Amino acid sequence: MAAVQETKVTPYQMYIGGRWVDASNGATSEILDPSTEEVIARVPKATVADAETAVKAAREAFDKGPWPRMKAVERGDLLRRAATRIRERADELARLESLQMGKLFSEAIVDMSDAAHTFDYYAGLVVEAHGETLEVPGDTMSMVVREPIGVTVGITPWNYPMLMAAWKAAPSLAAGNVMILKPASVSPLTNLELAKIFEEVGLPEGVFQVITGPGGEIGDYLAASPLVDMVAFTGSVEVGKHIMRQGAENVKKVGLELGGKSPNIVFADADFEAAIDGALVGIFAGTGEVCSAGSRLIVDRAIYDRFVGELVSRAMAIKVGPALDEDSEMGPLVNKQQLATVEKYVQIGRDEGATLATGGHRLEGRGYYYEPTIFVDVDNKMRIAQEEIFGPVLVVIPFDGEQQAVEIANDTIYGLAGAVWTKDVTKAMRVVKALRAGITWVNTYHPTYSEAPWGGYKQSGVGRELGTYGLDEYTEVKQINIDLTDAPMGVYQRGKDKNVAGNRRVVPLSDRRPFRGDESKTDESWVQFCENCQPGL
Ligand code: NAP
Ligand code: MG
């Protein structure tokens, strides 16, 4: 008897207030494998009421729970245990990532390792000395301490589900905050597994929650909620702007990691083979669904024809196929909408008069596969050079001279990343310095480090993730000023004896903060003096 081929549909619950729950109205949504278009899982489709429950649980956990009050070293230990579990389960988690959003297994496994490292890194960083003491005038000791912000919300995209969760949860939790994570609807599964890991290692109730549901309702509610203190969002510029507006409701802190149209500049003196490879990695890694993709290749006219010729023949040889197939060099696009977006932009490029050198078609059959696509002789003013496509579509633009290369590179609303290929170190430094972008590379493309700040200039975002900068974003800064004199400040002493300080030392006015004014005046003249000056800083 022939076995009936049947894909298993795994039911998931979401993690709210330390419990695994369905949506309050029982609604679910399906998760598809973009390599096959088959349903692989079903997750709760949360309601606003569920989001309210999560916010209440988060408030409770932050306002009264042990997490923010715990020693930093203990929080670090728990995060490290989570990192260890991610490593132990890396194969299984990477497979799940590939299944739910189509990234190659070889790429997903790197994401798992990077995610684990991010937790380890912040577990270590949180016990490093931070804060400072300040030299201030007068007999005052002044210091700065960092404290958690409170209830933080992470809203993440589908292209790096596990890694984006780690980039947000690790610094937030390390700093003593609590976090509600709202993953992209198409790919919440590895984040739900992350919640299982946190439950297993013993994270207190309500400290980390994962709510699955539509961004337009759940994300929107969380971004506007006055009980939420910070939203860290990664996603499109359009939604980022909306979240910023929603956040204005209670002046919450908003971190935005948005899109890009990053320049990858190749000079004639670059190592040819390395630059070709870097151009391919820049655009086709992750099927081009990468915020920092080198989607605008800006090539020195002196080598343009030869470079483009080699690039195109190499792109044509890339094997597109299922995410879990070891032979595949590029996986499918994430879903039907993304495929439609790519098709739309390829048509726009044709209409704008750019030359399609290779690609430009989806692959026949099931799965959302698209050919590696290259437009050449592109004008930077074209829409395909200005708008983020988020797929395997490269535009190639020739340049004459360093100055023009920089002008083209910076002629964009975005400022996320950029790279320069040249053997001339001073030229490389001049150009990266001139790039208006937060992440730059010289003679490489894409390496990303938990230790280094990640984020964009211009419309690519606000704030930074990763590194010490990323930890700072999840903290409030408090100054503490301690008066060391025991003397009254002497502001409202009209009815008192002039010798206000009794047997205490009479503090000269110049040392008497917060008064500022005529420093020659002493305590005897404080009444007249203070009629003309403002208390406070
Ligand atoms: P998206 O449509 O902006 O969605 C991102 C997240 O926001 C999803 O969780 C989404 O939920 C949610 N969302 C949607 N509408 C919302 C609303 N009105 N209020 C609150 N949340 C809402 O982006 P995407 O298509 O998933 O991801 C692609 C984009 O992310 C690209 O532009 C890319 O450049 C950017 N990205 C940037 C970085 C970076 O580090 N700078 C990294 C990765 C990706 P649903 O899924 O339920 O709609
Ligand atoms: Mg999917």
Side-chain angles (χ1 to χ4, degrees), residues 489-491 509 512-517 519 529-530 533-536:
M489 289 169 72
V491 184
L509 216 106
R512 241 190 189 198
R513 303 188 68 238
F515 290 113
R516 290 190 188 269
E519 309 228 328
F529 175 69
C530 285
C533 72
Q534 297 282 323

Side-chain angles (χ1 to χ4, degrees), residues 154-160 164 167-168 182-187 212-224 231 233-240 242-243 246 256-261 288-293 334-335 338 388-390 414 416 439 454-456 460-461 465:
I155 301 179
T156 51
W158 42 257
N159 61 342
Y160 286 86
M164 292 299 106
W167 284 17
K168 290 176 169 46
K182 206 307 279 176
S185 291
V186 288
S187 57
T212 54
E217 291 160 37
I218 304 307
D220 196 76
Y221 170 82
L222 293 172
V231 176
F233 170 79
T234 299
S236 60
V237 174
E238 190 196 345
V239 175
H242 177 72
I243 283 177
Q246 295 295 83
L256 301 177
E257 298 289 349
L258 308 177
K261 193 77 184 178
E289 296 168 321
V290 180
C291 52
S292 54
V334 72
N335 60 15
Q338 201 58 28
E388 186 182 51
I389 301 173
F390 224 56
Y414 294 112
L416 188 57
I439 304 148
W454 181 272
S460 287
E465 295 195 289

Side-chain angles (χ1 to χ4, degrees), residues 76 128 130 171 230 236 266 302 361 419 461 464 474 516:
E128 291 279 309
H130 47 286
M230 172 177 175
S236 60
V266 182
H361 306 98
R464 292 292 179 272
Y474 286 95
R516 290 190 188 269

